[in-house]
Structure formats: structure tokens, C-alpha cells
Amino acid sequence: VTSEVVDRVYNEYIGNAENRAQVRDGLLDAIGDSSFVLSAIEVARYHRDAGNPVYFYEFQHRPSSATAVVPEFVKADHADEIAFVFGKPFLAGDV
């Protein structure tokens, strides 16, 4: 990794941080983007290039079930949208 890449990533995610919480949030965004978003975009492009319609979303609603379970700064975790899309049976283990 070149220093130019490191500088660009730092400036994108952390460069304007004014406090430790903003540094934390920027670091979490960088990790999330590299772990989930980049590969999802790549797969979406393959489908698009094959002529298929592609829909992309980012779920950020903090579910009430997260209270006292995950830190307050966490918006939504991976797969939190399932209960909102498919309903309570997935939360209750009825499937």
C-alpha cells in the first residue's frame, strides 16, 4: 500500500475528525466499507454488466432490540434488516 493510498483513506474517513468519537466512527466506516460495501459493489457491477437490474441499499435504522446489547454509536449491525423485511418470525425462531 502506497503512502498516497493511506493518505487518501485517512482523509476520507478520519481527516476531519474533531474528537475521539469521530475518529472511532470514521474507523468503523472504513472497516465496514472494506468488509461489506466494496465487495457488494463489485458483485452489483457484475450483475449490471450482465444486463440484470441491480438494487443497492444501506440499512441504518437502529432496532430497539439493540438497546443495552450493543454500544449506542452502532446504527445497525449486519442482517438487522431481516426482521424489518420479513417480520417477527425470524426474531422468534419460528422458521
Side-chain angles (χ1 to χ4, degrees):
V1 178
T2 67
S3 63
E4 179 183 345
V5 171
V6 172
D7 288 344
R8 292 179 93 178
V9 170
Y10 174 83
N11 289 330
E12 176 69 26
Y13 292 99
I14 301 172
N16 295 323
E18 297 177 1
N19 57 52
R20 292 173 67 147
Q22 290 176 346
V23 170
R24 176 203 61 215
D25 293 345
L27 182 59
L28 290 174
D29 284 344
I31 292 169
D33 285 355
S34 64
S35 299
F36 293 100
V37 178
L38 293 177
S39 57
I41 290 171
E42 185 176 14
V43 170
R45 287 180 177 160
Y46 289 144
H47 286 282
R48 177 205 61 200
D49 293 347
N52 298 306
V54 176
Y55 304 92
F56 204 82
Y57 70 94
E58 179 179 6
F59 187 80
Q60 291 190 358
H61 179 75
R62 181 180 169 85
S64 59
S65 61
T67 305
V69 178
V70 296
E72 194 63 36
F73 61 84
V74 176
K75 296 173 190 164
D77 280 326
H78 181 62
D80 275 350
E81 76 277 14
I82 290 175
F84 292 89
V85 173
F86 297 108
K88 188 172 178 339
F90 283 88
L91 288 177
D94 295 337
V95 280

